[in-house]
């Protein structure tokens, strides 16, 4: 088992046994882990010789969710930090220090929603980062001068599965995607599919790009968008140009992997 798989197994294990009752809301540890990795990817910045990524993450929860997570919060933070460190190693990203994650409460969030703010934070003058995991690149020099300012807080919903401004939420709709024998419910906003662990649906297939495609709601249902992938997107064995509307039973090919859109 790889390091990443081991961490994912531990994160999933937080839902079992004694702690299972705490997660009656739809927020799940792996949901937060994937969105944290996505924020790390989207807020990276390139210097002359390195690609820097955020190393500090603020997670905002509704009061109800925060109360339910309280009993496992410290364990969860440790696993999320380890997940981000391993993600940075796999993606060859440079960090100014070991990743940190903190939980906060936002009364404006509804049950099952969470927000994430990613920051690239310089090392303190008198502080040293914790020892990194084997193979992770921790840069002890100051963060790059041209690093962008902290990104805005993005709101995610465990039911909707898309970062979006709070005011742009849409009425709920549902569909099901069959992936390697798993039935995955998708909500009223987009689902990112690719090889990167930061994707909503991460598929370990060398023929799939890191950010390969996205399934989004559209008039009359859902459509799939090719995000500039190397090997393209095929629906019912025909390549698509940009995007196409999906119908129940459509077979989607990404690399050597087939997905089936089952509709609502």
């Amino acid at each position: 088992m790889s390091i990443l798989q081991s961490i994912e197994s531990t994160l999933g294990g937080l839902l079992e046994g004694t702690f299972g009752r705490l997660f009656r809301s739809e927020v799940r540890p792996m949901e937060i882990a994937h969105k944290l990795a996505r924020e790390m990817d989207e807020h990276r910045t390139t210097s002359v010789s390195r690609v820097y990524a955020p190393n500090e993450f603020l997670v905002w929860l509704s009061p109800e969710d925060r109360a339910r997570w309280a009993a496992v919060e410290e364990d969860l933070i440790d696993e999320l930090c380890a997940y981000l460190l391993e993600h940075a190693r796999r993606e060859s990203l440079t960090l100014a220090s070991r990743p940190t994650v903190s939980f906060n409460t936002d009364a404006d969030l509804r049950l099952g929603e969470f927000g994430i703010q990613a920051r690239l934070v310089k090392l303190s003058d008198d502080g040293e980062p914790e020892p990194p995991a084997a193979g992770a690149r921790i840069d002890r020099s100051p963060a790059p001068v041209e690093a962008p300012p902290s990104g805005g807080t993005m709101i995610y919903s465990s039911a909707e599965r898309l970062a979006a401004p709070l005011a742009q939420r849409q009425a709920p709709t549902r569909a099901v995607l069959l992936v390697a024998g798993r039935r995955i419910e998708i909500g009223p906003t987009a689902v990112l599919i690719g090889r990167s662990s930061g994707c909503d649906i991460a598929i370990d297939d060398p023929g799939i790009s890191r950010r390969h495609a996205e399934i989004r709601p559209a008039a009359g249902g859902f459509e799939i968008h090719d995000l500039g992938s190397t090997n393209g997107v095929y629906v019912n064995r025909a390549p698509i140009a940009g995007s196409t509307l999906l119908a129940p039973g459509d077979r989607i090919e990404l690399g050597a992997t087939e997905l089936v859109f089952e509709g609502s």
Side-chain angles (χ1 to χ4, degrees):
M1 181 182 292
S2 70
I3 296 175
L4 199 61
Q5 288 175 324
S6 176
I7 296 170
E8 289 178 349
S9 177
T10 301
L11 284 168
L14 289 174
L15 298 176
E16 304 299 331
T18 305
F19 297 137
R21 62 184 175 81
L22 299 173
F23 295 92
R24 287 172 292 172
S25 72
E26 295 185 8
V27 177
R28 292 293 186 268
M30 279 312 304
E31 184 83 18
I32 289 185
H34 286 157
K35 296 301 189 290
L36 286 169
R38 176 189 285 191
E39 292 297 311
M40 177 177 276
D41 287 341
E42 292 190 351
H43 292 286
R44 62 178 68 187
T45 183
T46 304
S47 67
V48 175
S49 59
R50 296 175 179 174
V51 179
Y52 286 86
N55 57 325
E56 181 179 276
F57 298 85
L58 307 180
V59 178
W60 302 87
L61 299 169
S62 69
E64 298 88 348
D65 277 318
R66 182 80 190 279
R68 293 175 180 180
W69 287 66
V72 294
E73 188 169 294
E74 291 186 7
D75 291 335
L76 180 58
I77 286 174
D78 288 343
E79 294 301 326
L80 290 173
C81 289
Y83 184 90
L84 287 170
L85 191 61
E86 177 61 14
H87 178 76
R89 185 192 68 80
R90 289 165 62 98
E91 300 294 326
S92 299
L93 301 175
T94 299
L95 304 177
S97 69
R98 186 181 178 89
T100 63
V101 176
S102 63
F103 286 109
N104 305 273
T105 304
D106 186 340
D108 290 333
L109 294 175
R110 299 177 299 186
L111 186 70
E113 293 178 334
F114 59 96
I116 295 176
Q117 184 177 24
R119 298 174 175 173
L120 197 164
V121 180
K122 296 181 181 180
L123 294 175
S124 62
D125 294 335
D126 56 355
E128 288 291 332
E130 297 179 38
R137 178 186 293 174
I138 301 294
D139 183 17
R140 296 174 182 268
S141 63
V145 175
E146 297 299 323
S150 300
T153 301
M154 297 304 296
I155 303 301
Y156 292 93
S157 168
S158 57
E160 297 170 359
R161 301 182 185 277
L162 176 70
L166 199 58
Q168 294 180 4
R169 297 188 186 114
Q170 302 180 21
T173 56
R174 291 289 183 271
V176 173
L177 195 64
L178 187 63
V179 184
R182 294 184 299 146
R183 291 171 58 84
I184 299 177
E185 184 178 278
I186 56 179
T189 46
V191 172
L192 179 63
I193 306 171
R195 200 176 68 252
S196 170
S197 58
C199 294
D200 298 302
I201 301 176
I203 302 174
D204 187 12
D205 179 340
I208 293 179
S209 300
R210 290 181 61 258
R211 296 163 61 85
H212 197 108
E214 198 167 52
I215 295 179
R216 307 172 184 170
F222 288 83
E223 59 187 9
I224 186 165
H225 291 248
D226 187 344
L227 299 179
S229 64
T230 301
N231 294 320
V233 175
Y234 290 75
V235 175
N236 299 325
R237 304 203 172 208
I240 71 169
S243 64
T244 190
L245 191 66
L246 293 170
D250 278 351
R251 296 185 175 273
I252 304 165
E253 294 176 58
L254 309 178
T257 301
E258 183 178 85
L259 298 74
V260 179
F261 181 78
E262 295 190 343
S264 57

